[in-house]
Amino acid sequence: MSSYTNGGVVVVVDEMEKRERSAGGHLVLLPCPLQGHMNPMLHLANLLHSKGFSITIVHTQFKSPNPSGYPSDINFKSIPDGLSKDQEDDLVSLLLNLNLNCEAPVRDFLLQMQSNRSGQEPFLGIIHDASLYFVSAIADDMKLPRFAFKTNNMTFYVGYLLTTQKGCHPIKDEELEEPVFVLPFLKIKDLPEVKSSDLHIQVGKMVDATRTATAVICNTLKQLEQNALPMFQQDLSIPVFLVGPLHKYSISPPTTATDRSCISWLDTQAPSSVIYISFGSLVTISGSELVEMAWGLANSKKNFLWVVRPSSVHNSQWVELLPKEFEELITNGRGRIVKWVPQQEVLAHPAIGGFWTHSGWNSTLESITEGVPMLCSPRFGDQRINARLVSCVWGVGIQIENDGMERGLIEKSIRRVMVDKEGMEMKRRAMDLKEKIEISLNKGGSSYVASEKLKFFIKNG
Ligand code: UDX
C-alpha cells in the first residue's frame, strides 16, 4: 500500500490498482499558468490518473503548481518560460509570450522524453490548454495525438466565434442591449471583447488549434449548455468530451496563503446564513468599490466571509482603505476578511447561503455543484456570459443591475438572493441543478460516460 494527501484527505492506493495504472500508457499535460486554468487541468490529471494513465505535467516556472496534493507517481516537469513576475497584469501579452517562449523548451523536453522511452509504456498524446496553440506544431511534427482542453465553457467558445466573425471593430453603443441572434439570452454587450488586432490574431490561433486537434475535452456538461452545444459541435466536427465539473474528482491543493481558520468560523454560523464573496484570482477593484462593497455588506445585515487578495485593490496593499466602523463589524463577529480560502470546502459548508462572485467559470461550477445561489458581478472575458447562464438560463442567481458597485444596490441585491422569496426560488433551482450534476457524475451519467469514452478514445484512437 502507498498513500498521498489531497486537501487534508489521505488517499490510499493499493498495489493491484497501481499495476493496472502502469498498464494505461503515458500522457503529457500542459496547463496554462493562471489559477482558473491550472486548477481544472490538475483535476483532469487526477481523473486520468485514476483511470490508469501515467501522467507528466509540463508547466512553466511562472506560477508553478504545488505537487504536494497529488499522487507521487504524477510527474511534474518545469520548463523555462522567460516570463516576468508582473506578467499577469497584461493577459494578452502573457498569452503571446507563453506561446512564443515555451515552444522550444517543450519541444526539446518531449523529443528527449520520447527518445528515452524504449521498452516503456506507449506515449499516447499531449493534452494542452486550448490557449497554448504552439503545441499544435510540435504534435504534428512528432505525429502525436493532441487533445485541446477547454477550461471554460461552450457558450463562451461560440461567443468568441460570433465576435471574431465581426472582426476587431468596436461594438456601437446602440447595439449593446440587442439580443444575440443565435443565443438570445445573451446581449451583444456580453460577448467577449476582441479590441486589438493582436488579440484578434491570438484568438484566431486558439480557435484553429482547437479545430485541428484530435479531440476536445471541455470542463462542462451538456445539461448546462443545451443552447450552445449544437453550434459547438458543428464548428468543431471532431470528437468532443464533456467531462465536467472536474473539481468533483479532487480538491485544489492549498496555497501558502490559504486561510483554513475560516472553516472553524463557518462552523459557528447558522445554516445558509453567510454570504461568501470572492472575485477569483485576477479581478482587481478600485478603493471606492471596496468601500461601497463594505457598506453594502454591512447594511444587508447578513454575516459574510470575504476574500480580498493582497494587491487586488488599486493603490493599496490589502484592506487599509476600509472605514474603521466597518472593521468593528468584523471584531464583533459579523464577518471575516481573508486573503485566500479553500473555496471548494467553503462552498460546500452548510453555513453558506449565497456567493457574490465575479462569475469565473470555475467559481460558477463550484457554486452550482453545491447548490449555492449567486450574486454576479462579471468583469471581463467569459464572465458576462457565465453570469447570463446563471441568471437567465438556470435561474440560480442575479446579476447586479448595470454592474453597479453602489452600496444601496449591493444591499438590495444581497437581500434578493439571501432573504427574499425570489432568493428561496433560486435556492430551490440551485438544489435541482446540484442533483442533475450529481446524476451526471454517477455511473451511467453523461459526464461519467464521457470520461469513460475519453479513456477508450485515448487508448484506442
Ligand atoms: C480566470 C478567468 O477570470 C475566468 O473568468 C475564467 O473562467 C477562468 O480563468 P479566475 O478569475 O481566477 O479565472 O476565476 P475562476 O475561474 O473562478 O477560478 C478561480 C479558482 O480559484 C477557483 O477554482 C476557486 O476555487 C479558486 N479560489 C478562489 C480558491 O481556491 N480560493 C479563493 O480564495 C479564491
Side-chain angles (χ1 to χ4, degrees):
M1 294 270 184
S2 63
S3 67
Y4 65 95
T5 308
N6 186 328
V9 179
V10 177
V11 181
V12 179
V13 182
D14 80 21
E15 297 306 318
M16 175 64 83
E17 195 189 350
K18 265 173 91 176
R19 272 202 298 281
E20 278 173 13
R21 279 200 179 138
S22 62
H26 189 206
L27 288 167
V28 166
L29 272 58
L30 270 139
C32 171
L34 291 170
Q35 191 90 36
H37 289 246
M38 182 67 80
N39 284 2
M41 183 66 98
L42 294 177
H43 296 315
L44 178 65
N46 256 331
L47 169 67
L48 293 169
H49 178 267
S50 75
K51 293 208 177 281
F53 297 104
S54 54
I55 307 284
T56 298
I57 293 169
V58 177
H59 59 85
T60 51
Q61 287 162 348
F62 173 81
K63 302 257 164 192
S64 59
N66 167 8
S68 66
Y70 294 89
S72 57
D73 56 346
I74 291 187
N75 300 312
F76 284 78
K77 167 71 189 165
S78 152
I79 51 146
D81 51 49
L83 298 172
S84 61
K85 277 201 172 119
D86 57 357
Q87 196 79 64
E88 218 171 50
D89 298 345
D90 180 351
L91 294 179
V92 180
S93 105
L94 171 67
L95 199 60
L96 183 65
N97 288 329
L98 275 169
N99 279 287
L100 286 174
N101 301 356
C102 296
E103 180 167 352
V106 168
R107 187 185 288 273
D108 290 348
F109 170 73
L110 291 175
L111 286 169
Q112 197 184 13
M113 194 187 86
Q114 205 175 35
S115 68
N116 293 340
R117 292 197 66 75
S118 61
Q120 290 186 37
E121 53 187 344
F123 183 9
L124 296 174
I126 311 172
I127 300 178
H128 67 100
D129 190 293
S131 64
L132 302 180
Y133 51 78
F134 73 86
V135 179
S136 136
I138 302 177
D140 287 352
D141 294 346
M142 292 179 71
K143 301 199 174 9
L144 284 169
R146 176 175 64 84
F147 301 84
F149 176 45
K150 295 203 60 59
T151 56
N152 31 42
N153 57 40
M154 298 185 282
T155 316
F156 180 54
Y157 181 84
V158 175
Y160 248 145
L161 294 181
L162 297 172
T163 310
T164 47
Q165 277 162 13
K166 279 169 66 79
C168 57
H169 306 298
I171 299 167
K172 295 190 195 97
D173 281 354
E174 59 271 23
E175 290 176 323
L176 291 173
E177 297 296 326
E178 294 289 316
V180 174
F181 181 61
V182 288
L183 295 168
F185 62 92
L186 295 179
K187 293 185 177 186
I188 299 280
K189 67 179 180 187
D190 301 323
L191 293 177
E193 288 177 285
V194 183
K195 281 184 183 157
S196 66
S197 50
D198 265 2
L199 183 56
H200 195 245
I201 295 167
Q202 301 275 322
V203 171
K205 289 182 179 178
M206 280 187 250
V207 169
D208 278 353
T210 308
R211 284 180 179 147
T212 56
T214 312
V216 170
I217 305 166
C218 198
N219 188 20
T220 188
L221 59 157
K222 65 179 182 186
Q223 291 82 344
L224 297 180
E225 297 191 80
Q226 298 288 359
N227 296 301
L229 177 63
M231 284 174 267
F232 186 71
Q233 282 175 322
Q234 194 184 357
D235 182 76
L236 291 173
S237 63
I238 48 177
V240 167
F241 298 94
L242 308 181
V243 294
L246 285 164
H247 70 276
K248 290 305 278 182
Y249 295 106
S250 47
I251 290 173
S252 308
T255 67
T256 42
T258 303
D259 183 333
R260 289 201 58 81
S261 68
C262 64
I263 301 291
S264 26
W265 179 76
L266 285 174
D267 290 342
T268 65
Q269 304 296 309
S272 299
S273 65
V274 175
I275 179 153
Y276 165 59
I277 306 110
S278 166
F279 285 1
S281 64
L282 296 172
V283 166
T284 58
I285 57 172
S286 67
S288 58
E289 285 178 321
L290 179 87
V291 172
E292 289 304 305
M293 288 176 80
W295 284 122
L297 281 170
N299 298 341
S300 77
K301 308 275 185 290
K302 298 308 292 182
N303 287 5
F304 57 88
L305 172 62
W306 186 3
V307 175
V308 181
R309 292 184 338 269
S311 306
S312 66
V313 181
H314 306 166
N315 304 319
S316 92
Q317 297 291 309
W318 192 37
V319 290
E320 318 76 89
L321 301 175
L322 283 176
K324 283 273 163 301
E325 302 90 307
F326 183 77
E327 281 171 21
E328 280 162 24
L329 286 186
I330 293 168
T331 13
N332 292 340
R334 260 230 18 225
R336 294 286 307 268
I337 300 187
V338 292
K339 293 178 178 165
W340 194 255
V341 298
Q343 182 165 297
Q344 287 172 238
E345 273 179 84
V346 166
L347 286 168
H349 198 287
I352 297 295
F355 180 14
W356 183 7
T357 169
H358 69 310
S359 301
W361 185 236
N362 296 290
S363 294
T364 305
L365 283 176
E366 289 161 17
S367 200
I368 55 175
T369 43
E370 299 304 337
V372 177
M374 278 166 273
L375 176 55
C376 303
S377 289
R379 292 290 169 118
F380 57 78
D382 57 343
Q383 295 160 13
R384 290 181 192 286
I385 286 180
N386 303 338
R388 286 284 176 212
L389 287 168
V390 167
S391 55
C392 301
V393 179
W394 312 326
V396 297
I398 56 169
Q399 192 166 334
I400 300 196
E401 285 163 38
N402 303 320
D403 301 332
M405 278 292 191
E406 183 275 320
R407 62 188 73 183
L409 198 53
I410 292 169
E411 175 193 345
K412 187 176 107 189
S413 307
I414 293 174
R415 297 187 67 80
R416 276 178 71 192
V417 174
M418 300 278 295
V419 181
D420 295 352
K421 189 161 172 256
E422 182 187 10
M424 302 303 111
E425 287 297 307
M426 289 176 214
K427 177 72 186 172
R428 188 185 53 71
R429 285 191 289 267
M431 292 306 287
D432 286 350
L433 201 50
K434 174 181 156 108
E435 198 182 315
K436 278 191 187 140
I437 295 170
E438 274 164 9
I439 292 170
S440 84
L441 289 163
N442 288 339
K443 205 166 180 179
S446 71
S447 292
Y448 177 90
V449 170
S451 69
E452 282 294 297
K453 284 186 176 166
L454 174 63
K455 172 182 163 180
F456 185 84
F457 187 84
I458 293 174
K459 280 189 170 173
N460 306 295

